[in-house]
Amino acid sequence: MLRLHNPILFQYLNVGNKTVGNSCGLEFVRWRRKPRWLPVAKSKMFRVPERKPQSLEEKNELLRLHNNYRTQMRSIRQYLREENQRIAETTTTDHIALTPKEEEEEFNRCLQENEKWNHEISKIRELRLAKEREATKAYVQEKLRLAEEREEKQMQRIESLVKKEKELSKTFITHEKLDEAIEHALANPVDYNFALDLQGNMYRGRFNVPVSTEPAQK
């Protein structure tokens, strides 16, 4: 076989970085196996394969197995043939033998059987729906209980907050207490400034005379 070797294709596929021309090359390739579409070789055209010798015991065993297989298959075919014939005859006979009265009786029997099945299924359905209702009721009650607990806790927090605000409201400066608060502030000035000396004594006030000293808190 001849294979076409094109350097441009190899360069496009990044096979190599060699500098090649635009010429094409031919390469001889040998098939690993013979292609399926080729005919038989002339040297093997008239060759007849030699049949392996078979012992008498092996031949008898193969014949026995073959006979058993044929017997079993014949039995299966006969059984299926008889079964199909029986079903066809039974169906045809029942269809022909039934009278209008018998058909009506058969219909009533089937109707009663259907009503019986429906009644049993309705009982099962009622039990299932009752269980589902109980489960839903318990679920709703639990949700309501949790909601009441959350609401009660929230009301307790609100009440405690209201009480706290009421206690703080006693110290608020209202319009009626405004003059009294001003007089109290003027009579009791508060000066948060203080100074420290090298010994750590604290002198409170910005313009006060340092008469008394207090040790600084460390």
Side-chain angles (χ1 to χ4, degrees):
M1 177 184 176
L2 298 179
R3 177 184 293 175
L4 183 63
H5 178 71
N6 192 345
I8 299 177
L9 180 61
F10 278 85
Q11 185 177 3
Y12 176 74
L13 296 175
N14 294 327
V15 175
N17 296 325
K18 297 181 180 180
T19 303
V20 295
N22 294 330
S23 61
C24 296
L26 295 178
E27 183 180 357
F28 290 91
V29 179
R30 183 178 180 85
W31 288 96
R32 295 185 180 179
R33 296 189 62 181
K34 182 178 179 180
R36 299 171 64 91
W37 57 85
L38 292 181
V40 182
K42 293 182 179 181
S43 60
K44 300 179 181 179
M45 186 177 298
F46 300 102
R47 187 185 65 175
V48 179
E50 182 181 358
R51 177 173 294 184
K52 296 182 180 180
Q54 192 175 26
S55 62
L56 182 61
E57 295 179 357
E58 185 178 0
K59 185 182 297 184
N60 294 334
E61 181 66 18
L62 291 176
L63 182 61
R64 184 185 66 82
L65 294 175
H66 181 66
N67 292 335
N68 291 341
Y69 171 76
R70 292 185 61 185
T71 303
Q72 293 171 0
M73 293 302 297
R74 192 182 302 110
S75 300
I76 293 173
R77 285 195 295 269
Q78 182 65 22
Y79 171 77
L80 294 176
R81 189 181 301 110
E82 293 176 357
E83 188 69 16
N84 290 334
Q85 185 177 0
R86 183 186 64 80
I87 293 174
E89 291 177 356
T90 304
T91 305
T92 307
T93 304
D94 293 343
H95 181 69
I96 295 174
L98 288 178
T99 61
K101 184 178 180 180
E102 292 176 348
E103 289 182 357
E104 185 177 359
E105 292 177 355
E106 181 67 16
F107 176 76
N108 293 330
R109 187 187 65 80
C110 293
L111 187 61
Q112 293 177 0
E113 189 71 20
N114 189 21
E115 291 178 355
K116 180 180 178 182
W117 291 347
N118 291 337
H119 184 64
E120 293 176 356
I121 293 173
S122 65
K123 287 183 178 180
I124 296 173
R125 182 172 58 251
E126 289 297 331
L127 292 176
R128 177 175 56 82
L129 293 176
K131 291 181 180 179
E132 291 180 357
R133 284 193 295 269
E134 292 295 331
T136 305
K137 183 178 179 181
Y139 175 77
V140 172
Q141 290 178 353
E142 182 68 16
K143 287 293 184 181
L144 291 175
R145 185 183 64 81
L146 294 176
E148 290 178 357
E149 290 181 357
R150 288 196 300 269
E151 186 176 359
E152 185 178 357
K153 291 180 180 179
Q154 186 175 3
M155 291 300 297
Q156 291 177 359
R157 289 196 299 269
I158 293 173
E159 289 178 359
S160 62
L161 182 61
V162 169
K163 289 180 180 179
K164 183 178 179 181
E165 293 296 331
K166 284 183 178 180
E167 293 294 331
L168 292 176
S169 65
K170 296 179 181 179
T171 60
F172 292 167
I173 299 175
T174 61
H175 183 70
E176 292 79 7
K177 298 180 180 180
L178 182 59
D179 296 336
E180 182 181 355
I182 292 173
E183 292 177 358
H184 183 271
L186 293 175
N188 301 294
V190 179
D191 191 358
Y192 295 98
N193 297 300
F194 64 90
L196 297 175
D197 58 7
L198 296 177
Q199 286 75 28
N201 298 320
M202 180 183 294
Y203 302 95
R204 295 185 178 277
R206 180 178 297 178
F207 303 104
N208 295 337
V209 179
V211 177
S212 61
T213 60
E214 297 179 3
Q217 296 180 0
K218 296 183 180 179

